[in-house]
Amino acid sequence: MKRIRLGFANLIIEFTDRYLALKRIEYWANRGTGFPKVVYGPEGCGKTAWLRQSVELLGERGFDVIYLNPIEEEFAIEIGVQSLRDRLINLVREATSRLSWGGVAWSVIDVVREAISLGRGKIAIIIDDAFQAIGLDRAAIYVKGLLGILEHPPRPYERIVTIVATSEGVSRREIGRHEWADLLAMWNMGRDGFRQLYEQVPGDKPPFEEVWKLTGGNPRILERLYENNWNGDAVVRELIDKKGVRAFIASLGPNDRELLIRALEDPDVLMGREGIPLMNRLIELNLALEIPEWRDDNLWIDAPPPERDLELGIGKYVAWQSPLHREAVKRALGMT
Ligand SMILES: Nc1ncnc2c1ncn2[C@@H]1O[C@H](COP(=O)(O)OP(=O)(O)O)[C@@H](O)[C@H]1O
Ligand SMILES: [Mg+2]
């Protein structure tokens, strides 16, 4: 498989690692997905990178691939038949001029049905960061629309692979309460893979151990650190500012504040009667995530995080998106 090249700050780097996640794509390529697969994980953990590499892989396996990222306003339509490709691209173009990118996501469903009607048998539909554009409240209905393609195709097909990715931890519940999709979690990169990525970053840099402790294997945090000349404080300030952590902290009553301080040490304290409302707010702000309590392969794309790693902020049930996300909260609490 050809490894794709990805933008990384001002660099171009090669797609790295994610061996199991690509194996998973191969598995689906061989048998189709059945239910749409909804993948969620921390912001910047590498969902988009993995999906872009998957477009390449599925293309090599003879799939027509439709990839859409409404947030980054990107799409790729790789279809073996030129006329059909043009037709589909026009459909998407029409949708962009008429509607929002959320509308384009909806039009993909028609595009795929059209492709099946025209006799295309192996199709991959990859919708990246879909729910932000569609609206979280409509996420489940959208997934049901995708399921509808599989269940009521206009014509028999050979194999369809449907993957939807989201960084919105909130959508996990919205999707999970219906039987229309399989939910899978993706975590930050494992140590070995992340080291390979770290090695691709040129110039003077802090030792790997230090970078690992700041990022917990999150490539976006690595990118921000590099962009800020390895100034961790600058990246923490960025996070506090962007996510409105200050206002969030200011809004807390004394009990929640106390609980939040304990959650810095162990995020699992949030998984209790008192902690749930606070946990929900941390999830909404994309600072923490509720994760599957089991580290079984079938619940995860790629390698799961360790059962618990409190140094990195990973609990059994709840995890900080990265150590620097936790640090942002700690700073805003005035604790450093
Ligand atoms: N496996 C990987 N190999 C190389 N670069 C990666 C990998 N995963 C992520 N990156 C880079 O890290 C940054 C964040 O990854 P991205 O895929 O955008 O995260 P997400 O979509 O989960 O928010 C991007 O610059 C991306 O190119
Ligand atoms: Mg992404």
Side-chain angles (χ1 to χ4, degrees), residues 138-297:
R138 304 179 75 197
I141 294 294
Y142 183 70
V143 168
K144 189 169 185 229
L146 292 172
L147 176 62
I149 305 174
L150 306 172
E151 290 191 327
H152 313 288
R155 205 175 138 157
Y157 57 84
E158 195 180 336
R159 247 169 285 154
I160 293 185
V161 171
T162 311
I163 306 169
V164 181
T166 178
S167 291
E168 303 291 325
V170 185
S171 47
R172 174 187 142 105
R173 287 195 198 141
E174 182 57 24
I175 300 301
R177 62 199 183 86
H178 303 285
E179 296 277 304
W180 300 331
D182 292 327
L183 261 180
L184 292 127
M186 183 167 182
W187 195 246
N188 295 321
M189 296 177 81
R191 209 187 168 84
D192 292 344
F194 188 71
R195 188 193 294 272
Q196 292 169 37
L197 185 62
Y198 163 88
E199 275 159 12
Q200 282 193 65
V201 179
D204 277 344
K205 51 195 171 192
F208 177 74
E209 255 346 285
E210 211 173 291
V211 174
W212 175 250
K213 281 187 187 140
L214 293 174
T215 59
N218 183 299
R220 169 86 72 224
I221 299 288
L222 177 70
E223 190 179 18
R224 298 313 304 155
L225 284 169
Y226 169 72
E227 183 85 17
N228 286 285
N229 291 314
W230 307 104
N231 180 350
D233 284 346
V235 179
V236 168
R237 285 186 194 138
E238 244 175 38
L239 283 168
I240 293 177
D241 185 50
K242 230 178 9 193
K243 298 188 172 293
V245 182
R246 187 73 61 198
F248 161 64
I249 302 282
S251 75
L252 297 177
N255 288 348
D256 276 350
R257 200 183 159 91
E258 189 52 43
L259 199 58
L260 186 58
I261 291 171
R262 282 171 48 212
L264 296 172
E265 293 301 320
D266 179 357
D268 280 341
V269 301
L270 297 167
M271 189 53 93
R273 200 162 94 104
E274 309 250 283
I276 301 289
L278 183 60
M279 177 175 83
N280 288 343
R281 293 191 64 194
L282 290 168
I283 293 173
E284 273 164 34
L285 289 169
N286 277 339
L287 290 166
L289 268 178
E290 198 181 339
I291 54 176
E293 61 188 277
W294 305 280
R295 302 307 194 245
D296 304 14
D297 287 348

Side-chain angles (χ1 to χ4, degrees), residues 2 4 6 16 25-26 43 68-69 71 104 124 133 141 200 214 217 237 270 272 276 281 302 320 324:
K2 196 182 117 220
I4 59 164
L6 294 156
T16 308
I25 296 286
E26 276 190 355
E43 289 178 305
L68 177 73
N69 187 328
I71 294 301
V104 178
I141 294 294
Q200 282 193 65
L214 293 174
R237 285 186 194 138
L270 297 167
I276 301 289
R281 293 191 64 194
D302 210 61
W320 293 100
L324 280 198

Side-chain angles (χ1 to χ4, degrees), residues 6-8 13-16 44-49 197 219-220 223:
L6 294 156
F8 188 90
I13 54 164
E14 197 167 77
F15 181 83
T16 308
C45 74
K47 296 177 294 299
T48 295
L197 185 62
R220 169 86 72 224
E223 190 179 18

Side-chain angles (χ1 to χ4, degrees), residues 31-188:
R31 58 195 297 282
T33 46
F35 274 13
K37 307 296 177 188
V38 175
V39 178
Y40 72 98
E43 289 178 305
C45 74
K47 296 177 294 299
T48 295
W50 165 62
L51 291 175
R52 292 215 178 123
Q53 181 66 60
S54 301
V55 169
E56 182 74 25
L57 199 161
L58 287 158
E60 285 176 16
R61 296 288 182 285
F63 275 77
D64 293 331
V65 186
I66 297 173
Y67 170 90
L68 177 73
N69 187 328
I71 294 301
E72 291 175 25
E73 306 200 344
E74 272 185 41
F75 71 90
I77 294 182
E78 310 289 343
I79 288 187
V81 179
Q82 182 69 34
S83 59
L84 180 57
R85 188 169 173 273
D86 293 347
R87 200 156 144 194
L88 299 185
I89 286 179
N90 281 336
L91 242 168
V92 175
R93 282 233 178 88
E94 235 174 71
T96 23
S97 60
R98 252 184 312 115
L99 310 152
S100 62
W101 276 83
V104 178
W106 285 97
S107 78
V108 163
I109 294 177
D110 300 329
V111 165
V112 173
R113 296 186 72 86
E114 178 85 14
I116 297 171
S117 318
L118 290 165
R120 306 302 295 174
K122 286 162 74 177
I123 305 178
I125 312 153
I126 301 180
I127 314 287
D128 198 356
D129 261 326
F131 303 146
Q132 263 168 298
I134 292 165
L136 287 179
D137 51 328
R138 304 179 75 197
I141 294 294
Y142 183 70
V143 168
K144 189 169 185 229
L146 292 172
L147 176 62
I149 305 174
L150 306 172
E151 290 191 327
H152 313 288
R155 205 175 138 157
Y157 57 84
E158 195 180 336
R159 247 169 285 154
I160 293 185
V161 171
T162 311
I163 306 169
V164 181
T166 178
S167 291
E168 303 291 325
V170 185
S171 47
R172 174 187 142 105
R173 287 195 198 141
E174 182 57 24
I175 300 301
R177 62 199 183 86
H178 303 285
E179 296 277 304
W180 300 331
D182 292 327
L183 261 180
L184 292 127
M186 183 167 182
W187 195 246
N188 295 321

